[in-house]
């Protein structure tokens, strides 16, 4: 387990610095493709994701066009256990500018997209294997962390199996009681398939074409999939290709508007 987790994060470029701690705190991702909106295919003209793994939270800006020509726009946002949609990024943070609408029912879907993405799933797997929280996993070398926990007699909740040369890690999904995650790594330790099961629902992510999509002037060998296919209960709901990433410690605030705070966090 220790070797698999180390190689996984090392090959993805998540370990940085002399002692190789895991240092990916935020993500900015831009892509293009199709998403499902109210059961209809919608071709994106804008698809930007900003993720902060320490809050945790994310903001996904979506603009797309349906086959009938109508345009759909939304900003899917969550921070901690607060969940809302915005009609513009940062809605209501300046009084009178934009509208924020609480969306508590969307928490599970947004948590899954964060903790099943290629960074989030690695972080969650390390935390589960080491028996620590997601916050405690950050800025530590995964191999050193697992050694320290083993010496203290702490046992994690992740299990490791093999199918040929493919490592398969299974562990409880963070933040959703009763949900489980199964990650299949390819021969180069890249996550090629992530499956999250909760009750009768199954969400699957298939990742391919890993490369450094940072700006050509800021390449740091931090890898991200060139294509992300998300399916729910066997039906594709999002299929996007990466156009740009910013994988370094970029400031990614996700403040909660007052109206959403008043509505309260999801219990």
């Amino acid at each position: 387990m220790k070797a698999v987790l180390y190689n996984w994060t090392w090959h993805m470029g998540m370990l940085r610095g002399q002692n190789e701690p895991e240092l990916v705190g935020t993500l900015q991702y831009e892509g293009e493709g199709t998403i499902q909106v109210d059961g209809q295919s919608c071709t994106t003209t804008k698809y930007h994701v900003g993720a902060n793994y320490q809050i945790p939270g994310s903001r996904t800006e979506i603009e797309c066009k349906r086959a009938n020509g109508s345009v759909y726009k939304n900003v899917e946002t969550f921070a901690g256990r607060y969940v809302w949609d915005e009609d513009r990024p940062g809605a209501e943070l300046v009084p009178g500018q934009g509208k924020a609408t609480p969306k508590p029912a969307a928490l599970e879907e947004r948590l899954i997209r964060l903790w099943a993405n290629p960074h989030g799933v690695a972080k969650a797997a390390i935390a589960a294997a080491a028996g620590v929280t997601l916050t405690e996993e950050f800025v530590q070398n995964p191999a050193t962390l697992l050694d320290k926990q083993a010496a203290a007699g702490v046992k994690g909740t992740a299990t490791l199996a093999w199918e040929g040369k493919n490592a398969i890690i299974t562990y409880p999904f963070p933040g959703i009681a009763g949900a489980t995650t199964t990650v299949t790594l390819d021969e180069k330790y890249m996550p090629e398939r992530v499956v999250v099961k909760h009750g009768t629902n199954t969400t699957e992510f298939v990742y391919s074409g890993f490369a450094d999509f940072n700006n050509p002037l800021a390449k740091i060998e931090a890898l991200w999939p060139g294509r992300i296919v998300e399916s729910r209960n066997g039906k594709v709901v999002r299929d996007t290709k990466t156009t740009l990433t910013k994988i370094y410690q970029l400031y990614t605030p996700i403040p909660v508007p007052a109206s959403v705070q008043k509505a309260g966090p999801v219990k």
Side-chain angles (χ1 to χ4, degrees):
M1 178 71 80
K2 180 176 70 173
V4 168
L5 292 173
Y6 174 83
N7 278 287
W8 176 2
T9 47
W10 187 89
H11 280 82
M12 283 189 61
M14 296 176 68
L15 307 184
R16 320 298 299 189
Q18 185 174 359
N19 295 320
E20 298 182 316
E22 193 278 288
L23 286 180
V24 176
T26 60
L27 166 75
Q28 292 289 330
Y29 161 79
E30 298 181 14
E32 59 186 15
T34 59
I35 67 172
Q36 293 293 307
V37 177
D38 299 326
Q40 298 181 51
S41 181
C42 200
T43 302
T44 63
T45 54
K46 183 177 186 179
Y47 190 76
H48 293 180
V49 179
N52 186 317
Y53 300 108
Q54 301 307 298
I55 295 176
S58 69
R59 173 178 282 113
T60 302
E61 300 177 51
I62 300 171
E63 295 181 12
C64 61
K65 182 177 290 187
R66 299 181 180 90
N68 62 9
S70 62
V71 174
Y72 171 82
K73 294 184 179 182
N74 193 27
V75 184
E76 301 174 345
T77 316
F78 88 96
R81 306 292 288 187
Y82 291 95
V83 193
W84 68 101
D85 284 351
E86 302 172 332
D87 62 357
R88 55 178 290 179
E92 294 187 11
L93 296 180
V94 175
Q97 295 190 19
K99 173 66 176 175
T101 305
K103 292 286 183 177
L107 177 63
E108 179 169 320
E109 177 182 279
R110 295 178 192 181
L111 278 172
I112 289 174
R113 288 201 176 108
L114 181 69
W115 296 122
N117 85 26
H119 292 157
V121 74
K123 292 170 174 287
I126 293 168
V132 300
T133 66
L134 287 161
T135 301
E136 292 171 319
E137 172 277 336
F138 187 54
V139 303
Q140 298 198 60
N141 179 292
T144 303
L145 175 61
L146 262 66
D147 279 343
K148 180 177 68 176
Q149 294 296 94
V154 177
K155 293 184 178 180
T157 55
T159 60
L160 173 65
W162 293 87
E163 287 186 1
K165 295 183 179 180
N166 296 101
I168 300 173
I169 300 176
T170 302
Y171 57 89
F173 187 90
I176 302 176
T180 60
T181 308
T182 301
V183 189
T184 301
L185 305 179
D186 66 17
E187 295 182 18
K188 296 181 179 180
Y189 296 96
M190 295 291 106
E192 63 180 12
R193 184 169 179 259
V194 179
V195 177
V196 179
K197 292 187 177 182
H198 185 214
T200 59
N201 293 318
T202 298
T203 306
E204 179 184 56
F205 298 85
V206 176
Y207 302 124
S208 59
F210 279 85
D212 186 344
F213 290 95
N214 279 358
N215 184 288
L217 299 178
K219 298 288 188 184
I220 57 172
E221 296 184 2
L223 306 189
W224 187 260
R227 185 180 182 190
I228 300 174
V229 180
E230 176 188 346
S231 302
R232 189 168 303 117
N233 297 325
K235 296 182 178 180
V236 174
V237 294
R238 296 191 179 184
D239 186 345
T240 59
K241 293 182 179 179
T242 304
T243 57
L244 179 69
T245 59
K246 298 176 183 177
I247 302 175
Y248 29 78
Q249 298 295 29
L250 194 69
Y251 184 52
T252 306
I254 309 176
V256 182
S259 64
V260 178
Q261 294 185 42
K262 185 177 180 180
V266 178
K267 304 298 184 180

